[in-house]
């Protein structure tokens, strides 16, 4: 197939600068590296044979959503067969789910910064051990919009914290380490072109606020605790909008920071389920929400197909 031929040609041109690199000298000294939360390891699996052809990694919160995505992309690339199932490569652990078809890997990451952070450590190591090159990682998911109608898709320029600062702070050995949260402008431009070609839903670029909590951390009024007024909430969200923030979720800052620190091009593509300036609770029907959730998949699917040379 064309995608296989394209990958083979690209691999011939590839040099060490295009491989995934780790910023940890200890890994190369280890006799075996066991990726505990994936239930995969260098001593038990041939990771290069299993994953060496991976060029696109798509990650999202829900195992069901990521299985649906791998089925969708299989159809788009012409790799699916009637009755084809996609087994969970991480079977044996209930932390994350992983699916693969052709050059595409689909991985769930759970909810929140700690969960996606653990997954990314092991994913980046997996790509390193598999000697993958020229890899793109894209997070697809849902979010709350700010000043956007439900169903809008947001491409993240920068991820910010709850104070609107475009950085991610990690405490290491009791000291703060601050990393950039910029995402690939080149990828965003490619994705925006794909959105224009699809021309079925509103797609915008903007900053994304990443919070540590779904309720108070996102200025909701409907949590178990609330120490602020509706007026204060509106002032905060309006200030976020003025700072260029167009959506709120819970994973983008560490995702951008870790991919950037690893030299991996990355993007965040999320669909809004509500406009937070108009309320806190999601009121759309189940059917409408399912359709919304397919929009990032459709956009990223078109991007992957174009990258691989069109039709498989």
């Amino acid at each position: 197939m064309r995608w296989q031929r394209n990958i083979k040609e690209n691999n011939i041109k590839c040099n060490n600068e295009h491989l995934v690199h780790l910023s940890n000298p200890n890994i190369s000294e280890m006799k075996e590296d066991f990726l505990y939360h994936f239930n995969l390891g260098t001593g038990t699996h041939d990771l290069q044979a299993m994953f060496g052809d991976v060029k696109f990694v798509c990650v999202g919160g829900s195992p069901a959503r990521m299985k649906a995505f791998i089925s969708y992309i299989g159809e788009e690339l012409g790799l699916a067969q009637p009755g084809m199932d996609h087994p969970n490569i991480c079977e044996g652990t209930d932390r994350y789910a992983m699916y693969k078809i052709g050059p595409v890997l689909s991985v769930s990451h759970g909810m929140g910064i700690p969960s996606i952070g653990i997954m990314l450590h092991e994913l980046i190591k997996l790509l390193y051990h598999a000697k993958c090159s020229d890899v793109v990682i894209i997070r697809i998911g849902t979010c709350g919009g700010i000043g956007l109608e439900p169903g809008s898709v947001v491409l993240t320029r920068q991820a910010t914290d709850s104070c609107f600062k475009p950085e991610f702070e990690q405490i290491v050995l009791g000291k703060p380490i601050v990393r950039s949260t910029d995402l690939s402008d080149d990828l965003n431009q490619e994705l925006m072109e794909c959105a224009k070609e699809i021309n079925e839903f509103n797609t915008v670029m903007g900053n994304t606020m990443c919070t540590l909590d779904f309720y108070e951390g996102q200025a909701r009024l409907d949590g178990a605790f609330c120490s602020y007024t509706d007026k204060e909430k509106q002032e905060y969200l309006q200030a976020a909008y003025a700072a260029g923030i167009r959506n709120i979720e819970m994973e983008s800052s560490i995702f951008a920071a870790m991919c950037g620190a690893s030299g991996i091009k990355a993007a965040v593509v999320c669909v809004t389920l509500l406009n937070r300036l108009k309320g806190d609770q999601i009121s759309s029907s189940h059917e409408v929400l399912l359709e919304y959730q397919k929009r990032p998949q459709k956009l990223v699917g078109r991007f992957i197909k174009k990258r691989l040379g069109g039709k498989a």
Side-chain angles (χ1 to χ4, degrees):
M1 290 187 174
R2 186 179 299 174
W3 67 264
Q4 292 171 316
R5 185 169 65 251
N6 289 348
I7 288 176
K8 185 175 181 180
E9 291 172 355
N10 288 337
N11 283 343
I12 292 172
K13 298 175 184 177
C14 179
N15 58 42
N16 287 337
E17 292 182 358
H18 296 96
L19 296 172
V20 173
H21 295 278
L22 300 181
S23 300
N24 182 0
N26 299 303
I27 301 299
S28 62
E29 303 297 324
M30 294 168 58
K31 183 178 179 180
E32 177 182 355
D33 188 8
F34 181 54
L35 310 179
Y36 172 71
H37 300 89
F38 285 165
N39 198 32
L40 298 169
T42 57
T44 53
H45 300 79
D46 187 341
L47 297 181
Q48 187 171 2
M50 294 173 67
F51 302 104
D53 63 338
V54 169
K55 297 295 177 184
F56 307 94
V57 183
C58 294
V59 303
S62 157
R65 191 181 302 160
M66 301 322 294
K67 186 170 185 177
F69 174 77
I70 210 69
S71 297
Y72 173 78
I73 201 66
E75 293 283 350
E76 286 294 293
L77 299 182
L79 301 176
Q81 299 175 4
M84 186 177 188
D85 190 25
H86 302 281
N88 178 12
I89 299 171
C90 295
E91 187 177 5
T93 173
D94 59 359
R95 294 298 181 187
Y96 306 107
M98 180 185 294
Y99 308 95
K100 182 181 183 298
I101 192 164
V104 183
L105 192 64
S106 179
V107 190
S108 70
H109 58 61
M111 184 181 291
I113 285 174
S115 185
I116 193 174
I118 294 168
M119 187 280 291
L120 286 171
H121 272 282
E122 298 190 11
L123 173 63
I124 293 166
K125 290 199 297 175
L126 183 151
L127 298 173
Y128 165 80
H129 291 307
K131 299 187 180 346
C132 294
S133 61
D134 298 306
V135 179
V136 169
I137 303 181
I138 302 177
R139 168 171 140 66
I140 58 177
T142 59
C143 62
I146 301 181
L148 296 174
E149 289 305 305
S152 301
V153 172
V154 181
L155 308 179
T156 302
R157 282 199 180 98
Q158 290 180 314
T160 78
D161 63 15
S162 297
C163 297
F164 316 152
K165 292 187 295 183
E167 62 185 34
F168 175 70
E169 181 179 291
Q170 175 88 25
I171 303 299
V172 179
L173 301 180
K175 300 176 182 178
I177 301 294
V178 177
R179 294 190 172 110
S180 168
T181 56
D182 291 340
L183 287 148
S184 172
D185 185 60
D186 291 344
L187 278 185
N188 276 337
Q189 293 298 333
E190 285 187 67
L191 288 162
M192 184 58 79
E193 284 302 313
C194 291
K196 291 176 181 177
E197 292 166 8
I198 296 172
N199 195 31
E200 293 179 8
F201 42 81
N202 182 40
T203 303
V204 303
M205 287 192 201
N207 292 342
T208 296
M209 182 163 65
C210 181
T211 68
L212 300 177
D213 169 55
F214 184 81
Y215 286 99
E216 288 183 294
Q218 296 187 13
R220 277 183 159 86
L221 300 173
D222 59 343
F225 306 96
C226 185
S227 59
Y228 42 85
T229 65
D230 180 52
K231 181 175 181 293
E232 289 171 324
K233 165 202 160 177
Q234 289 294 333
E235 289 173 348
Y236 177 71
L237 293 180
Q238 292 288 353
Y241 186 88
I245 294 168
R246 294 297 176 267
N247 63 332
I248 310 174
E249 48 86 272
M250 297 174 61
E251 294 86 19
S252 59
S253 62
I254 191 170
F255 174 81
M258 290 184 69
C259 290
S262 301
I264 300 174
K265 283 194 172 185
V268 176
V269 182
C270 287
V271 65
T272 62
L273 300 185
L274 75 167
N275 180 359
R276 288 296 318 288
L277 296 179
K278 295 182 178 180
D280 296 332
Q281 296 204 336
I282 299 168
S283 58
S284 298
S285 69
H286 178 69
E287 291 74 21
V288 168
L289 293 176
L290 285 179
E291 194 279 322
Y292 287 168
Q293 290 175 26
K294 292 177 181 177
R295 294 181 179 185
Q297 296 185 17
K298 191 168 189 177
L299 177 51
V300 173
R302 188 174 188 90
F303 162 80
I304 291 173
K305 196 171 182 179
K306 286 187 68 176
R307 273 284 186 102
L308 293 175
K311 293 183 178 180

